[in-house]
Amino acid sequence: MKKSEGFTLVELLVTVAIIGILAAVGISAYTGFIGAAKEKQATTGLSSIYLAQEEYRSMIGTYYQSNASCGLSNDDSTVINNNLFNADTILETENYNFCIEHSSGTLTYLANAYLLDGSGVILTITNTNLKRKFVDASWQTGW
């Protein structure tokens, strides 16, 4: 009996299984990378707000406020871009909503970035450069 050339069904099934495992690992790693990149974009935006607020205060004497109270539904990115960044698009709104509120008077503020995926993640920065992150129903210091 002559052995046929080609692959057996078992060899093909093992190959497909290995490809499936590699794809699953690759997709989960890619998803984590994308999430980290989105968060980095938001933290860069908040750091830019902090620097622009210091410049604004040195010229005007108070900090800029985009909204009296912030929340997930308040997206003041365009207003902030226009008033703090001279109409340059610094804050991207694809993944986060941005808002700046006075926390106590006009010499303090709280800038917020709300993640739009429904997870409840909030990133904040204050006039003292205190950075916080709200995730899993609790506040963490730092980003």
Side-chain angles (χ1 to χ4, degrees), residues 17-77:
I18 291 171
I19 291 172
I21 291 169
L22 290 174
V25 169
I27 288 172
S28 66
Y30 178 74
T31 302
F33 174 74
I34 294 298
K38 288 177 183 180
E39 185 172 312
K40 185 63 178 169
Q41 184 181 33
T43 59
T44 300
L46 288 172
S47 294
S48 296
I49 287 173
Y50 172 77
L51 294 173
Q53 283 282 51
E54 291 304 313
E55 182 179 357
Y56 188 90
R57 185 181 60 83
S58 71
M59 292 187 307
I60 307 296
T62 63
Y63 288 112
Y64 173 76
Q65 176 184 4
S66 69
N67 209 319
S69 62
C70 293
L72 180 60
S73 60
N74 298 60
D75 183 21
D76 294 336
S77 302

Side-chain angles (χ1 to χ4, degrees), residues 64-110:
Y64 173 76
Q65 176 184 4
S66 69
N67 209 319
S69 62
C70 293
L72 180 60
S73 60
N74 298 60
D75 183 21
D76 294 336
S77 302
T78 302
V79 175
I80 296 168
N81 281 333
N82 288 336
N83 293 314
L84 279 182
F85 301 114
N86 298 320
D88 289 336
T89 304
I90 303 297
L91 304 176
E92 296 291 336
T93 60
E94 298 167 5
N95 304 304
Y96 284 84
N97 281 347
F98 291 88
C99 183
I100 303 171
E101 62 183 312
H102 285 229
S103 54
S104 172
T106 59
L107 295 179
T108 61
Y109 70 89
L110 179 66

